[in-house]
Amino acid sequence: MRKSDGSLTTAFLLVSILLAFAGNSILVRAALAGAQIDWAGYTIVRLVAGAGMLCVLFAAQKRMQIFPGRRDVAGALSLFVYAVAFSWAYVRLDAGIGALILFPAGQITMQLIGLFRGVVPTRGQLVGVIIALAGLIYLMAPGASAPPLASAILMASAGVAWGFYTWSGKLGSDPSLATARYFVGASLLALLLLPLVDMSMLTWRGFALAAISGGITSALGYVLWYKILARISITSAAVSQLSVPAIAAMGGVILLDEILTTRLLIGGMIIFAGIGLTIWASMRGGRI
């Protein structure tokens, strides 16, 4: 019974995290597409708000060692690169297609890092990753309905950075505290973007959307994400993120009047086929 309760709690937390991750795509598109704020300003507010939320959280727990040290450089830098590329790419990408590029890139990066660290995937897992990669390539291939190439590359870069960020936190002894340190470090790096901010585009609505993304769907979402990583395998963590594009796409259509293209649907189905195979292979191998 206890095991069942624990599984239900894990499932609930995982669903909440995936909704938060999808919310990040919807929030940034609502802000940038509506010209409520520019990408540099959004990135700064998001990271600073996230750092502030986690500082308050850990201060309340009397755990004040949140200033980053040498061991936190990789995680903080990865988070900063992810946040910059994410916001910049979403200037021209819809919520769904951006998420559909971001999360497969993150999954593939985590699988490659795991491979270099000696975590050898099964044949089924490897085939699943290859299928997901094929879907990603199809989505980004040139054509009339293709996303802007520069923006797509930026979002893929954000996914790579996200993969490194995830591994950095998973390897630490206290991932939640590491998350706080990463956010503090990334928020300090974000100050380098101040000369790029277009103050004429800054509105209270844009500021609020960025702050919500930083403080709630990012900072708190990432703390929960690392708690989940302690309960599931890195493969399950990687493939579970691939449900986010579907959530983001639905949110984009309902809330932002975005259009579901044939390319998005076909690319999504190919990627989700890869998800299903990878999860199935993980379950058979007892590694999920």
Side-chain angles (χ1 to χ4, degrees), residues 127-161:
V127 172
V129 170
I130 292 172
I131 292 173
L133 177 60
L136 183 60
I137 292 172
Y138 168 79
L139 190 69
M140 296 174 61
S145 60
L149 182 59
S151 297
I153 292 174
L154 273 172
M155 190 59 77
S157 300
V160 172

Side-chain angles (χ1 to χ4, degrees), residues 21 82 102-103 106 110 158-166 222 225 241:
F21 288 169
Y82 152 76
L102 173 72
F103 287 96
M110 285 190 282
V160 172
W162 170 259
F164 279 98
Y165 167 76
T166 299
Y222 297 172
W225 172 241
Q241 292 184 44

Side-chain angles (χ1 to χ4, degrees), residues 6-22 103 162 221 223-244 247 279 288:
S7 297
L8 287 174
T9 300
T10 298
F12 174 78
L13 288 175
L14 185 56
V15 170
S16 299
I17 292 164
L18 297 177
L19 289 173
F21 288 169
F103 287 96
W162 170 259
V223 167
L224 290 177
W225 172 241
Y226 280 130
K227 288 185 180 297
I228 282 290
L229 287 181
R231 303 186 184 191
I232 62 178
S233 73
I234 195 67
T235 298
S236 298
V239 298
S240 67
Q241 292 184 44
L242 294 181
S243 64
V244 173
I247 302 171
I279 292 176
I288 192 167

